[in-house]
Coordinates of all heavy atoms in Angstrom, one line a residue:
M1 N -106.0 -10.0 -38.6 CA -106.3 -9.9 -40.1 C -105.2 -10.4 -40.9 O -104.0 -10.3 -40.5 CB -106.4 -8.3 -40.3 CG -107.0 -7.9 -41.6 SD -107.1 -6.2 -41.8 CE -106.1 -5.9 -43.3
A2 N -105.5 -11.2 -41.9 CA -104.6 -11.8 -42.8 C -103.7 -10.8 -43.5 O -104.2 -9.7 -43.8 CB -105.3 -12.7 -43.8
M3 N -102.5 -11.1 -43.7 CA -101.6 -10.2 -44.4 C -101.0 -10.8 -45.6 O -100.4 -11.8 -45.5 CB -100.3 -9.9 -43.4 CG -100.7 -9.4 -42.0 SD -101.1 -7.7 -42.0 CE -99.5 -7.0 -41.9
K4 N -101.2 -10.1 -46.7 CA -100.8 -10.8 -48.0 C -99.3 -11.0 -48.1 O -98.8 -11.8 -48.8 CB -101.3 -10.1 -49.2 CG -101.0 -8.8 -49.6 CD -101.6 -8.4 -50.9 CE -101.4 -6.9 -51.1 NZ -102.2 -6.4 -52.3
E5 N -98.5 -10.1 -47.4 CA -97.0 -10.4 -47.4 C -96.7 -11.6 -46.6 O -95.5 -12.1 -46.8 CB -96.3 -9.1 -46.9 CG -96.7 -8.6 -45.6 CD -97.9 -7.5 -45.7 OE1 -98.7 -7.6 -46.6 OE2 -97.8 -6.6 -44.8
N6 N -97.6 -12.1 -45.9 CA -97.3 -13.4 -45.1 C -98.0 -14.6 -45.7 O -98.1 -15.7 -45.0 CB -97.7 -13.3 -43.6 CG -97.0 -12.2 -42.9 OD1 -95.8 -11.9 -43.2 ND2 -97.6 -11.6 -41.9
K7 N -98.5 -14.4 -47.0 CA -99.2 -15.5 -47.7 C -98.3 -16.8 -47.8 O -97.1 -16.7 -48.0 CB -99.4 -15.0 -49.0 CG -100.5 -15.5 -49.9 CD -100.4 -14.9 -51.2 CE -101.3 -13.7 -51.5 NZ -101.6 -13.4 -52.9
L8 N -98.9 -17.9 -47.5 CA -98.2 -19.1 -47.7 C -98.0 -19.5 -49.2 O -98.7 -19.1 -50.0 CB -99.0 -20.3 -47.0 CG -99.3 -20.2 -45.5 CD1 -100.1 -21.4 -45.1 CD2 -98.0 -20.3 -44.8
A9 N -96.8 -20.0 -49.4 CA -96.3 -20.2 -50.8 C -97.2 -21.2 -51.7 O -97.3 -21.1 -52.8 CB -94.9 -20.7 -50.8
E10 N -97.9 -22.0 -50.9 CA -98.7 -23.0 -51.5 C -100.1 -22.5 -52.1 O -100.6 -23.0 -53.0 CB -99.2 -24.1 -50.5 CG -98.0 -25.0 -50.1 CD -97.2 -24.4 -49.0 OE1 -97.5 -23.3 -48.5 OE2 -96.2 -25.1 -48.6
N11 N -100.5 -21.3 -51.7 CA -101.7 -20.7 -52.3 C -101.6 -20.5 -53.8 O -100.6 -20.1 -54.3 CB -101.9 -19.4 -51.6 CG -102.3 -19.3 -50.2 OD1 -103.4 -19.8 -49.8 ND2 -101.4 -18.9 -49.4
V12 N -102.7 -20.8 -54.5 CA -102.7 -20.4 -55.9 C -102.8 -18.9 -56.1 O -103.4 -18.3 -55.1 CB -103.8 -21.1 -56.7 CG1 -103.6 -22.6 -56.8 CG2 -105.2 -20.7 -56.2
D13 N -102.5 -18.4 -57.1 CA -102.6 -16.9 -57.3 C -104.0 -16.5 -57.3 O -104.9 -17.3 -57.8 CB -102.0 -16.4 -58.7 CG -100.4 -16.4 -58.6 OD1 -99.9 -16.5 -57.5 OD2 -99.8 -16.4 -59.7
G14 N -104.3 -15.3 -56.8 CA -105.7 -14.9 -56.8 C -106.0 -14.2 -55.5 O -105.2 -13.9 -54.6
A15 N -107.3 -13.8 -55.4 CA -107.9 -13.0 -54.3 C -107.7 -13.7 -52.9 O -107.2 -13.0 -52.0 CB -109.3 -12.5 -54.5
Y16 N -108.1 -14.9 -52.9 CA -108.1 -15.5 -51.5 C -106.8 -16.2 -51.2 O -106.1 -16.8 -52.1 CB -109.3 -16.6 -51.4 CG -110.6 -15.8 -51.4 CD1 -111.3 -15.6 -52.5 CD2 -111.2 -15.6 -50.2 CE1 -112.6 -15.0 -52.4 CE2 -112.4 -14.9 -50.0 CZ -113.1 -14.7 -51.2 OH -114.4 -14.1 -51.1
Y17 N -106.4 -16.1 -50.0 CA -105.1 -16.8 -49.5 C -105.2 -17.1 -48.1 O -106.0 -16.6 -47.4 CB -103.9 -15.9 -49.9 CG -104.0 -14.6 -49.1 CD1 -103.4 -14.4 -47.8 CD2 -104.6 -13.5 -49.6 CE1 -103.5 -13.2 -47.2 CE2 -104.7 -12.3 -49.0 CZ -104.1 -12.1 -47.8 OH -104.2 -11.0 -47.0
V18 N -104.3 -18.0 -47.7 CA -104.1 -18.3 -46.2 C -102.7 -17.8 -45.8 O -101.8 -17.9 -46.7 CB -104.1 -19.8 -45.9 CG1 -103.8 -20.1 -44.5 CG2 -105.5 -20.3 -46.4
D19 N -102.6 -17.1 -44.7 CA -101.3 -16.6 -44.3 C -100.7 -17.5 -43.2 O -101.3 -18.5 -42.7 CB -101.4 -15.1 -44.0 CG -101.8 -14.8 -42.7 OD1 -102.1 -15.8 -41.9 OD2 -101.9 -13.6 -42.3
D20 N -99.4 -17.1 -42.7 CA -98.7 -18.0 -41.8 C -99.3 -17.9 -40.3 O -98.6 -18.5 -39.5 CB -97.2 -17.6 -41.9 CG -96.9 -16.2 -41.4 OD1 -97.8 -15.5 -40.9 OD2 -95.7 -15.9 -41.5
D21 N -100.4 -17.3 -40.1 CA -101.1 -17.4 -38.8 C -101.9 -18.6 -38.7 O -102.4 -19.0 -37.6 CB -102.0 -16.2 -38.5 CG -101.2 -14.9 -38.1 OD1 -100.0 -15.1 -37.6 OD2 -101.7 -13.8 -38.2
C22 N -102.0 -19.4 -39.7 CA -102.9 -20.5 -39.8 C -102.4 -21.6 -38.7 O -101.3 -21.9 -38.6 CB -102.9 -21.2 -41.1 SG -103.8 -22.8 -41.2
I23 N -103.4 -22.1 -38.0 CA -103.1 -23.1 -37.0 C -103.5 -24.5 -37.4 O -103.5 -25.4 -36.6 CB -103.7 -22.7 -35.6 CG1 -105.2 -22.6 -35.7 CG2 -103.1 -21.5 -35.0 CD1 -106.0 -22.4 -34.3
G24 N -104.0 -24.6 -38.6 CA -104.3 -26.0 -39.1 C -105.6 -26.6 -38.4 O -105.6 -27.8 -38.3
C25 N -106.6 -25.8 -38.2 CA -107.8 -26.3 -37.5 C -108.7 -27.0 -38.4 O -109.6 -27.6 -38.0 CB -108.5 -25.2 -36.8 SG -109.4 -24.1 -37.9
R26 N -108.6 -26.9 -39.7 CA -109.3 -27.6 -40.8 C -110.8 -27.0 -41.0 O -111.5 -27.6 -41.8 CB -109.6 -29.1 -40.4 CG -108.3 -29.9 -40.4 CD -108.6 -31.3 -40.0 NE -107.4 -32.2 -40.3 CZ -107.2 -32.8 -41.4 NH1 -108.0 -32.6 -42.5 NH2 -106.1 -33.5 -41.6
L27 N -111.1 -25.9 -40.3 CA -112.5 -25.4 -40.5 C -112.6 -24.9 -41.9 O -113.7 -25.3 -42.5 CB -112.6 -24.2 -39.5 CG -114.0 -23.8 -39.3 CD1 -114.9 -24.9 -38.7 CD2 -114.0 -22.5 -38.2
C28 N -111.7 -24.2 -42.5 CA -111.9 -23.8 -43.8 C -112.1 -24.9 -44.9 O -112.9 -24.8 -45.7 CB -110.8 -22.8 -44.3 SG -109.2 -23.5 -44.2
E29 N -111.3 -26.0 -44.6 CA -111.4 -27.1 -45.6 C -112.9 -27.7 -45.5 O -113.4 -28.1 -46.5 CB -110.4 -28.1 -45.2 CG -110.4 -29.3 -46.1 CD -109.4 -30.4 -45.6 OE1 -109.5 -30.7 -44.5 OE2 -108.6 -30.8 -46.5
G30 N -113.4 -27.7 -44.3 CA -114.8 -28.2 -44.1 C -115.8 -27.2 -44.7 O -116.8 -27.6 -45.3
N31 N -115.6 -26.0 -44.6 CA -116.5 -24.9 -45.0 C -116.5 -24.8 -46.6 O -117.5 -24.5 -47.2 CB -116.2 -23.6 -44.5 CG -116.7 -23.3 -43.1 OD1 -117.8 -24.0 -42.7 ND2 -116.2 -22.5 -42.3
A32 N -115.3 -24.9 -47.1 CA -115.2 -24.6 -48.5 C -114.1 -25.7 -49.2 O -113.0 -25.3 -49.7 CB -114.6 -23.2 -48.8
P33 N -114.6 -26.9 -49.3 CA -113.7 -27.9 -49.7 C -113.3 -27.8 -51.2 O -112.3 -28.5 -51.6 CB -114.4 -29.2 -49.5 CG -115.9 -28.7 -49.4 CD -115.9 -27.4 -48.9
K34 N -114.0 -27.0 -51.9 CA -113.6 -26.9 -53.3 C -112.5 -25.8 -53.5 O -112.1 -25.7 -54.7 CB -114.9 -26.5 -54.2 CG -115.9 -27.6 -54.3 CD -117.0 -27.2 -55.1 CE -118.0 -28.4 -55.3 NZ -119.2 -28.0 -56.0
N35 N -112.2 -25.2 -52.5 CA -111.2 -24.1 -52.5 C -110.0 -24.2 -51.6 O -108.9 -23.7 -51.9 CB -111.9 -22.7 -52.3 CG -113.1 -22.6 -53.3 OD1 -114.3 -22.8 -52.9 ND2 -112.9 -22.2 -54.5
F36 N -110.2 -24.8 -50.4 CA -109.2 -24.9 -49.4 C -108.9 -26.4 -49.1 O -109.8 -27.2 -49.1 CB -109.7 -24.3 -48.1 CG -109.9 -22.8 -48.0 CD1 -111.0 -22.3 -48.5 CD2 -108.9 -21.9 -47.5 CE1 -111.3 -20.9 -48.5 CE2 -109.0 -20.6 -47.5 CZ -110.3 -20.0 -48.0
K37 N -107.7 -26.6 -48.9 CA -107.3 -27.9 -48.5 C -106.1 -27.9 -47.5 O -105.4 -26.8 -47.5 CB -107.1 -28.9 -49.5 CG -106.0 -28.7 -50.5 CD -106.0 -29.9 -51.5 CE -105.0 -29.7 -52.6 NZ -105.2 -30.7 -53.7
M38 N -105.9 -29.0 -46.8 CA -104.7 -29.0 -45.9 C -103.5 -29.4 -46.7 O -103.5 -30.2 -47.6 CB -105.0 -30.0 -44.8 CG -106.2 -29.7 -44.0 SD -106.2 -28.1 -43.1 CE -104.8 -28.3 -42.0
K39 N -102.3 -28.9 -46.1 CA -101.0 -29.4 -46.7 C -100.9 -30.8 -46.4 O -101.5 -31.3 -45.4 CB -99.9 -28.6 -46.1 CG -99.8 -27.3 -46.7 CD -98.8 -26.3 -46.2 CE -97.6 -26.8 -45.6 NZ -96.7 -25.6 -45.1
D40 N -99.9 -31.6 -47.1 CA -99.8 -33.0 -46.9 C -99.5 -33.4 -45.4 O -99.8 -34.4 -44.9 CB -98.7 -33.6 -47.7 CG -99.2 -33.7 -49.2 OD1 -100.4 -33.6 -49.4 OD2 -98.3 -33.8 -50.1
D41 N -98.8 -32.4 -44.7 CA -98.4 -32.7 -43.3 C -99.4 -32.1 -42.3 O -99.2 -32.2 -41.1 CB -97.0 -32.1 -43.0 CG -97.0 -30.6 -43.1 OD1 -98.0 -29.9 -43.3 OD2 -95.9 -30.1 -42.9
D42 N -100.6 -31.6 -42.9 CA -101.7 -31.1 -42.1 C -101.4 -30.0 -41.2 O -102.1 -29.5 -40.3 CB -102.2 -32.2 -41.1 CG -103.1 -33.3 -41.9 OD1 -103.6 -32.9 -43.0 OD2 -103.4 -34.3 -41.3
S43 N -100.2 -29.3 -41.4 CA -99.8 -28.2 -40.5 C -100.6 -26.9 -40.8 O -100.9 -26.2 -39.9 CB -98.3 -27.9 -40.8 OG -98.1 -27.6 -42.2
T44 N -100.9 -26.7 -42.1 CA -101.7 -25.5 -42.4 C -102.6 -25.8 -43.6 O -102.4 -26.8 -44.4 CB -100.9 -24.3 -42.8 OG1 -100.3 -24.5 -44.0 CG2 -99.9 -24.0 -41.8
A45 N -103.6 -25.0 -43.8 CA -104.5 -25.0 -45.0 C -103.9 -24.1 -46.0 O -103.0 -23.2 -45.7 CB -105.9 -24.6 -44.7
Y46 N -104.4 -24.2 -47.3 CA -104.1 -23.2 -48.3 C -105.1 -23.2 -49.4 O -106.0 -24.1 -49.4 CB -102.7 -23.5 -49.0 CG -102.6 -24.9 -49.7 CD1 -102.7 -24.9 -51.0 CD2 -102.5 -26.0 -49.0 CE1 -102.6 -26.2 -51.7 CE2 -102.4 -27.2 -49.6 CZ -102.4 -27.2 -51.0 OH -102.4 -28.5 -51.7
V47 N -105.2 -22.2 -50.2 CA -106.2 -22.1 -51.3 C -105.6 -22.8 -52.5 O -104.6 -22.4 -53.0 CB -106.5 -20.6 -51.6 CG1 -107.4 -20.5 -52.8 CG2 -107.1 -19.9 -50.3
F48 N -106.3 -23.8 -52.9 CA -105.8 -24.7 -54.1 C -106.6 -24.2 -55.3 O -106.0 -24.6 -56.4 CB -105.8 -26.2 -53.8 CG -107.2 -26.7 -53.8 CD1 -107.7 -27.3 -55.0 CD2 -108.0 -26.7 -52.7 CE1 -109.0 -27.9 -55.0 CE2 -109.3 -27.3 -52.7 CZ -109.8 -27.9 -53.9
K49 N -107.7 -23.6 -55.1 CA -108.4 -23.1 -56.3 C -109.2 -21.9 -55.9 O -109.9 -21.9 -54.8 CB -109.4 -24.1 -56.8 CG -110.2 -23.8 -58.1 CD -111.0 -24.9 -58.6 CE -112.3 -25.1 -57.8 NZ -113.3 -24.0 -58.0
Q50 N -109.1 -20.8 -56.7 CA -109.9 -19.6 -56.4 C -111.4 -19.9 -56.7 O -111.7 -20.6 -57.5 CB -109.4 -18.4 -57.2 CG -108.0 -18.0 -56.8 CD -107.9 -17.4 -55.5 OE1 -108.8 -16.9 -55.0 NE2 -106.7 -17.5 -54.9
P51 N -112.4 -19.2 -56.0 CA -113.7 -19.4 -56.3 C -114.1 -19.0 -57.7 O -113.6 -18.0 -58.3 CB -114.5 -18.5 -55.3 CG -113.5 -17.5 -54.9 CD -112.1 -18.2 -54.9
E52 N -114.9 -19.9 -58.3 CA -115.2 -19.6 -59.8 C -116.8 -19.2 -60.0 O -117.1 -19.1 -61.1 CB -115.0 -20.9 -60.6 CG -113.4 -21.2 -60.6 CD -113.1 -22.5 -61.3 OE1 -114.0 -23.4 -61.4 OE2 -112.0 -22.7 -61.6
N53 N -117.5 -19.2 -59.0 CA -118.9 -18.8 -59.1 C -119.4 -18.2 -57.8 O -118.6 -18.2 -56.8 CB -119.8 -20.0 -59.5 CG -119.6 -21.1 -58.5 OD1 -119.7 -21.0 -57.4 ND2 -119.3 -22.3 -59.2
E54 N -120.6 -17.7 -57.8 CA -121.1 -17.0 -56.6 C -121.2 -17.8 -55.4 O -120.9 -17.5 -54.3 CB -122.5 -16.3 -56.9 CG -122.4 -15.1 -57.8 CD -121.4 -14.1 -57.3 OE1 -121.4 -13.7 -56.1 OE2 -120.6 -13.6 -58.2
K55 N -121.6 -19.1 -55.6 CA -121.7 -20.1 -54.5 C -120.3 -20.3 -53.9 O -120.2 -20.3 -52.7 CB -122.3 -21.4 -55.0 CG -122.5 -22.4 -53.9 CD -123.2 -23.6 -54.3 CE -123.4 -24.5 -53.2 NZ -123.8 -25.9 -53.5
E56 N -119.2 -20.5 -54.7 CA -118.0 -20.7 -54.1 C -117.4 -19.4 -53.4 O -116.8 -19.5 -52.4 CB -117.0 -21.1 -55.2 CG -117.2 -22.6 -55.6 CD -116.1 -23.1 -56.6 OE1 -115.0 -22.5 -56.7 OE2 -116.5 -24.1 -57.3
K57 N -117.7 -18.3 -54.0 CA -117.3 -17.0 -53.3 C -118.0 -16.9 -52.0 O -117.4 -16.5 -51.0 CB -117.8 -15.7 -54.1 CG -116.7 -15.4 -55.2 CD -117.2 -14.1 -55.9 CE -116.5 -14.0 -57.2 NZ -117.2 -13.1 -58.2
H58 N -119.3 -17.2 -51.9 CA -120.0 -17.2 -50.6 C -119.4 -18.1 -49.6 O -119.1 -17.7 -48.4 CB -121.5 -17.6 -50.9 CG -122.3 -17.6 -49.7 ND1 -122.7 -16.4 -49.1 CD2 -122.9 -18.6 -49.0 CE1 -123.4 -16.6 -48.0 NE2 -123.5 -18.0 -47.9
V59 N -119.0 -19.4 -50.0 CA -118.4 -20.2 -49.0 C -117.0 -19.8 -48.6 O -116.6 -20.0 -47.4 CB -118.5 -21.7 -49.3 CG1 -119.9 -22.3 -49.4 CG2 -117.7 -22.1 -50.7
C60 N -116.3 -19.3 -49.5 CA -115.0 -18.7 -49.2 C -115.1 -17.5 -48.2 O -114.3 -17.3 -47.3 CB -114.2 -18.3 -50.5 SG -113.6 -19.6 -51.4
E61 N -116.1 -16.6 -48.4 CA -116.3 -15.6 -47.4 C -116.6 -16.1 -46.1 O -116.2 -15.6 -45.0 CB -117.4 -14.6 -47.9 CG -116.9 -13.6 -48.9 CD -115.8 -12.7 -48.5 OE1 -115.9 -12.2 -47.3 OE2 -114.7 -12.7 -49.2
N62 N -117.5 -17.1 -46.0 CA -117.8 -17.8 -44.8 C -116.5 -18.3 -44.1 O -116.4 -18.2 -42.9 CB -118.8 -19.0 -45.0 CG -120.2 -18.5 -45.0 OD1 -120.5 -17.4 -44.7 ND2 -121.1 -19.3 -45.5
A63 N -115.7 -19.0 -44.9 CA -114.4 -19.6 -44.4 C -113.6 -18.4 -43.8 O -113.0 -18.5 -42.7 CB -113.7 -20.3 -45.5
L64 N -113.5 -17.3 -44.5 CA -112.7 -16.2 -44.0 C -113.3 -15.6 -42.7 O -112.6 -15.4 -41.8 CB -112.8 -15.0 -45.1 CG -112.0 -13.8 -45.0 CD1 -111.7 -13.2 -46.3 CD2 -112.6 -12.8 -44.1
D65 N -114.7 -15.5 -42.6 CA -115.3 -15.0 -41.4 C -115.2 -15.9 -40.3 O -115.0 -15.4 -39.0 CB -116.8 -14.7 -41.7 CG -117.1 -13.6 -42.6 OD1 -116.2 -12.7 -42.8 OD2 -118.2 -13.5 -43.1
E66 N -115.1 -17.2 -40.5 CA -115.1 -18.2 -39.4 C -113.7 -18.6 -38.9 O -113.5 -19.3 -38.0 CB -115.9 -19.3 -39.7 CG -117.4 -18.9 -39.8 CD -118.3 -20.1 -40.1 OE1 -117.9 -21.3 -40.0 OE2 -119.6 -19.8 -40.4
C67 N -112.7 -18.3 -39.7 CA -111.3 -18.7 -39.3 C -111.0 -18.0 -37.9 O -111.1 -16.9 -37.7 CB -110.3 -18.2 -40.3 SG -108.6 -18.5 -39.8
P68 N -110.6 -18.9 -36.9 CA -110.5 -18.5 -35.6 C -109.3 -17.6 -35.4 O -109.2 -16.9 -34.3 CB -110.3 -19.8 -34.8 CG -109.8 -20.8 -35.8 CD -110.4 -20.5 -37.1
V69 N -108.3 -17.6 -36.3 CA -107.1 -16.7 -36.0 C -107.0 -15.7 -37.2 O -105.9 -15.2 -37.4 CB -105.8 -17.6 -36.0 CG1 -105.9 -18.4 -34.7 CG2 -105.7 -18.5 -37.2
E70 N -108.1 -15.5 -38.0 CA -108.0 -14.5 -39.1 C -106.8 -14.7 -40.0 O -106.2 -13.8 -40.4 CB -108.1 -13.1 -38.5 CG -109.4 -12.9 -37.6 CD -109.6 -11.4 -37.1 OE1 -108.6 -10.6 -37.5 OE2 -110.5 -11.2 -36.5
A71 N -106.7 -15.9 -40.4 CA -105.5 -16.2 -41.3 C -105.9 -16.3 -42.8 O -105.1 -16.5 -43.6 CB -104.9 -17.6 -40.9
I72 N -107.2 -16.0 -43.0 CA -107.7 -16.0 -44.4 C -107.9 -14.6 -44.9 O -108.5 -13.8 -44.2 CB -108.9 -16.9 -44.6 CG1 -108.7 -18.3 -44.2 CG2 -109.5 -16.8 -46.1 CD1 -110.0 -19.1 -44.1
G73 N -107.3 -14.3 -46.1 CA -107.4 -12.9 -46.6 C -108.1 -12.9 -48.0 O -108.2 -14.0 -48.7
N74 N -108.7 -11.8 -48.4 CA -109.2 -11.6 -49.7 C -108.8 -10.2 -50.1 O -109.2 -9.2 -49.7 CB -110.8 -11.6 -49.6 CG -111.4 -11.2 -50.9 OD1 -110.8 -11.1 -51.9 ND2 -112.7 -11.1 -50.9
D75 N -107.8 -10.2 -51.1 CA -107.3 -8.9 -51.6 C -107.8 -8.6 -53.0 O -107.3 -7.8 -53.7 CB -105.8 -8.8 -51.5 CG -105.2 -9.8 -52.4 OD1 -105.8 -10.5 -53.1 OD2 -103.8 -9.7 -52.4
G76 N -108.9 -9.3 -53.3 CA -109.5 -9.1 -54.7 C -110.3 -7.9 -54.9 O -110.6 -7.0 -54.0
Ligands
SF4_101 S1 -109.8 -21.9 -40.7 FE1 -108.0 -20.6 -40.4 S2 -106.7 -21.6 -38.9 FE2 -108.2 -23.1 -39.6 S3 -107.2 -24.3 -41.1 FE3 -108.3 -22.7 -42.2 S4 -106.9 -20.9 -42.4 FE4 -106.1 -22.4 -40.9

């Protein structure tokens, strides 16, 4: 389970975040490209924009559910 105290600094403020368990598999970027992207060095993903509508919330929830190491959190 993602821990907000381990949130990566690159995440924008808001409900969704990636924590330091991320292994950089890119799945979330593929699932929710309007909200998640990889860091320039590809080491981890981060949330660059919080979801702004129901469709984006849905894909962010899918990304959270499918992350293989449970590195995505939603504290909203
Ligand atoms: S799906 Fe999880 S492990 Fe993979 S890049 Fe996204 S946050 Fe990291």
Side-chain angles (χ1 to χ4, degrees):
M1 193 178 126
M3 310 277 283
K4 67 179 173 185
E5 51 270 33
N6 297 334
K7 204 186 267 199
L8 298 175
E10 290 82 2
N11 293 289
V12 293
D13 286 342
Y16 288 90
Y17 61 91
V18 175
D19 82 1
D20 63 5
D21 282 338
C22 175
I23 56 171
C25 76
R26 295 180 170 271
L27 193 59
C28 56
E29 186 185 47
N31 278 335
K34 292 183 177 172
N35 307 98
F36 291 82
K37 67 178 169 188
M38 302 302 293
K39 284 176 26 178
D40 287 345
D41 66 3
D42 284 341
S43 58
T44 69
Y46 63 101
V47 176
F48 72 94
K49 185 177 74 69
Q50 295 293 333
E52 292 175 345
N53 54 50
E54 288 308 312
K55 187 174 177 196
E56 285 186 20
K57 273 185 201 161
H58 181 71
V59 293
C60 285
E61 277 304 309
N62 278 347
L64 187 157
D65 288 342
E66 292 183 12
C67 175
V69 293
E70 300 184 357
I72 299 173
N74 173 6
D75 66 0

